Amino acid sequence: MTDFLFFIEVVVAGLLAGTMYSLVALGFVLIYKASSTFNFAQGAMVFFAVLAFVGFMELGLPFVAAFFVTIVLMGLVGFFTERLVLKPLMNQSEDTLLMATIGLGFVLEGLAQAAWGVEVRRLDLGIGDFPIPWIIDSTGLFISALDLTAGLVAAVLIIGLALLFKYTKMGLGLRAVADDAGAASSIGIPLGNIMLLVWTAAGIVALVAGMMWGARAGVQFALVDLALKALPVLIIGGFSSIPGAIVGGLIIGASEKVLEVYVGPFFGGGIEGWAPYVLAIFFLLRRPEGLFGEKIIRRV
Amino acid sequence: MNTNVVFMGYTRSDLTNLVVVLALALLVIPLTVESDYWYASILIPWLCLALAAVGQQIVMGYAGQLALGAAGFMAAGAFACFNLILRVPYMPFPVALALSGLIAAAFGVLFGLPSLRVRGIYLMVATLASQFFIVWMIDKFGWFKNYDTSGIITAQDIVIFGKTFTTPLEMYLVVVVVVAVLTIFAVNMTRGSTGRSWMAVRDMDIAAESMGISLLRTKLQAFAISAFFCGVAGALFAFTYLKSLEPVAFDIKLSFKILFMVILGGLGTISGAFIGAAFILLFPVVLNSLGNNVFHGAIDATIISAAEQVVFGVLIIVFMIYEPLGMAKLWENVKQRFNFKRAPTAALSKTQAT
């Protein structure tokens, strides 16, 4: 195999792995857009959702039923979060909300472990994490079926969300709330319902992200740490932009793989662990609002 | 203005508190507590983590910079101390401790640089880089671990002026002295112009800048001093509590713990760091002994550790909603209820949560 082909393969694998980061980041963006809250609990939601899903499957529910029961459960999580955490903290500073969502993350992690235990579970989606033969035959590239599926699922989710925002009444309401929550509620848009919708949507995104990650690495606590990597993705893409979450994920995924393969060996490997954060710092120093974010203007 | 100032801006009650606390720590506890368990498993880790929490408090509670990488700086301090004692002949422990604090402070300045451009969660992500980078660096480059392959290195003995400190009580005394000196130092800073600039930057950085406070200087100073405290705390933690050095001990979980100590203890108070550290450290101990003694092990250990997480999470949310200034403020409220003659101290009534 030529070096160039290998490089392409590394980049493609990185891009596809990056879509998994994008999926986690997407949940952050949804909630940030609607309520200007950095939902630090998104990683915990990924863990909670997929652990619940696997738990329901173990109880004997079929795949589809487990999927929908988990979505209802995530809706409940959203409902209680809105009532018990967000509402009492309305109009507080972003930092206060951020700390509260860190607390929320701990609650969700604890509850998930109390309900379903700590052991690593296998999740079989029926999609193997191995190269697809016909792609090897036609192009010589080794591309994992799971990566490709994750990419497709991400694309479907994003198109679905974009349609929801653009063409439904709920979506219009959501954009109004994102623009100016006070004004939106004064003309009668039900803030509570919108928040519930957004948190449920973020819950669904979390579940899908968790299923993709879980199929690769097993359903386990380490998912929470993996989800932390969505943070540099958001910094690169911008916190309020859905395309940003996707592009950011792709950039992080590709650059982390390229760095690991070509630079990593000089340092004994493992630079994947911090490279995304350092990349994010460079972005922060050049363009703090991210590639697609709105310019941050602060006034006294 | 407080009229009963007796010494360098301190009131009579401040000095009484200081004398009482020091007498308690240096005389009453060593004379009355005999069990090694108390020193080795509760008092020493409490004081070490409280010192790190004071560092976190400085950068977060006083300077208002949301940093999440205290454990990274602790790791830097711990391994710096190990290498200084290992490689520099006749290196006295106190000097090594101070130098390792300074080395951690250098990392603090480096990773504090993004704070000049960003705030809030952006800064949190930037400081996460320090956490992951420092621990990775120590883990990957054999030199830091003296090419030890087992992953766990035994810490050297603490030798001060030819005397070796080995028993838990002796180690406790070392820790108490270091923590006391640094805490007095921290209180002094927070009450002086340094602390005032931090708080001005925290409350409104643009306004502070327009009043002539240099953001560059103030923020980097906060990061440096915070990392210094964390570095010394990390070295003490490794040498007196863990008695070994392993990078895994300083993972992101420890950073979160220290963050929680500060949030629950109370943002913007030094005493909050100590109260928060005591709570975070003791609560699991209490929960475990409840599980063992009351329920006789009927409850699974997994459930207990999960319950611990849930309680911490719920408490953070509850404090954010009802008392953003944390347990230190609750304590202050209780004191004031029983002591309403005395006016509230100026520093506390003006402190705002970030």
Side-chain angles (χ1 to χ4, degrees), chain B residues 94-113:
Chain B
V95 178
L97 205 58
L99 285 176
S100 45
L102 289 176
I103 290 171
F107 277 104
V109 171
L110 182 67
F111 286 99
L113 282 174

Side-chain angles (χ1 to χ4, degrees), chain B residues 311-334:
Chain B
V311 171
F312 285 160
V314 169
L315 277 177
I316 285 185
I317 296 172
V318 169
F319 270 104
M320 279 298 137
I321 295 173
Y322 297 105
E323 186 53 274
L325 295 178
M327 294 174 178
K329 185 75 193 353
L330 285 184
W331 172 238
E332 202 63 28
N333 292 345
V334 172

Side-chain angles (χ1 to χ4, degrees), chain A residues 171-189:
Chain A
L172 188 65
L174 193 140
R175 278 184 288 150
V177 172
D179 213 37
D180 186 336
S185 75
S186 74
I187 58 163
I189 293 171

Side-chain angles (χ1 to χ4, degrees), chain A residues 13-283:
Chain A
L15 286 176
L16 291 171
T19 55
M20 294 208 192
Y21 295 137
S22 299
L23 279 174
V24 182
L26 199 58
F28 274 98
V29 170
L30 279 175
I31 288 170
Y32 184 71
K33 263 178 98 78
S35 58
S36 306
T37 307
F38 296 114
N39 180 27
F40 204 86
Q42 187 69 28
M45 277 168 70
V46 170
F47 175 64
F48 184 88
V50 68
L51 203 58
F53 173 74
V54 175
F56 288 133
M57 294 256 286
E58 278 174 5
L59 286 179
L61 285 183
F63 188 89
V64 181
F67 188 80
F68 282 104
V69 173
T70 312
I71 288 176
V72 172
L73 184 67
M74 293 315 286
L76 280 176
V77 169
F79 175 77
F80 284 113
T81 306
E82 203 270 325
R83 279 296 147 85
L84 302 177
V85 184
L86 296 181
K87 218 171 199 176
L89 284 173
M90 222 172 209
N91 299 326
Q92 294 287 334
S93 75
E94 283 185 352
D95 285 359
T96 307
L97 275 163
L98 173 61
M99 286 184 247
T101 61
I102 295 178
L104 176 67
F106 264 69
V107 173
L108 288 178
E109 285 163 23
L111 285 179
Q113 290 179 17
W116 292 289
V118 285
E119 65 269 30
V120 180
R121 317 281 178 91
R122 255 176 47 82
L123 175 62
D124 192 3
L125 297 177
I127 312 156
D129 195 0
F130 48 78
I132 306 167
W134 62 265
I135 296 187
I136 304 178
D137 292 341
S138 55
T139 59
L141 294 175
F142 286 73
I143 290 170
S144 158
L146 185 68
D147 278 340
L148 203 63
T149 318
L152 288 176
V153 168
V156 169
L157 262 183
I158 286 146
I159 293 168
L161 286 172
L163 292 177
L164 182 84
F165 286 162
K166 203 148 176 77
Y167 295 109
T168 64
K169 209 175 162 191
M170 266 317 213
L172 188 65
L174 193 140
R175 278 184 288 150
V177 172
D179 213 37
D180 186 336
S185 75
S186 74
I187 58 163
I189 293 171
L191 262 181
N193 291 358
I194 298 282
M195 287 302 155
L196 183 58
L197 174 84
V198 169
W199 277 80
T200 313
I204 297 173
V205 173
L207 173 60
V208 173
M211 285 164 71
M212 293 299 153
W213 279 114
R216 160 154 296 165
V219 178
Q220 56 175 317
F221 189 73
L223 285 182
V224 177
D225 291 342
L226 274 175
L228 273 182
K229 273 201 191 153
L231 292 173
V233 168
L234 290 164
I235 285 192
I236 290 177
F239 276 92
S240 52
S241 155
I242 291 180
I246 306 306
V247 176
L250 296 178
I251 292 176
I252 290 283
S255 55
E256 139 184 315
K257 277 280 180 307
V258 169
L259 284 173
E260 181 68 48
V261 170
Y262 290 99
V263 185
F266 297 110
F267 300 110
I271 64 172
E272 274 179 314
W274 54 267
Y277 298 93
V278 174
L279 204 66
I281 290 186
F282 283 116
F283 260 84

Side-chain angles (χ1 to χ4, degrees), chain B residues 48-49 52 68-82 128 130-136 138-139 145 151 153 155 229-258:
Chain B
C48 293
L49 292 178
L68 179 63
F73 300 129
M74 286 175 76
F79 278 86
C81 195
F82 168 74
L128 272 178
S130 74
Q131 164 77 47
F132 290 119
F133 179 78
I134 294 174
V135 173
W136 170 85
I138 293 168
D139 206 29
K145 296 192 285 187
I153 312 148
F229 275 72
C230 289
V232 173
L236 282 178
F237 193 63
F239 276 74
T240 61
Y241 174 62
L242 301 173
K243 300 197 182 69
S244 68
L245 291 115
E246 41 181 338
V248 239
F250 301 99
D251 65 352
I252 178 98
K253 287 204 182 76
L254 186 62
S255 281
F256 269 113
K257 258 192 194 165
I258 291 164

Side-chain angles (χ1 to χ4, degrees), chain B residues 20 26 48 155:
Chain B
V20 169
L26 289 172
C48 293

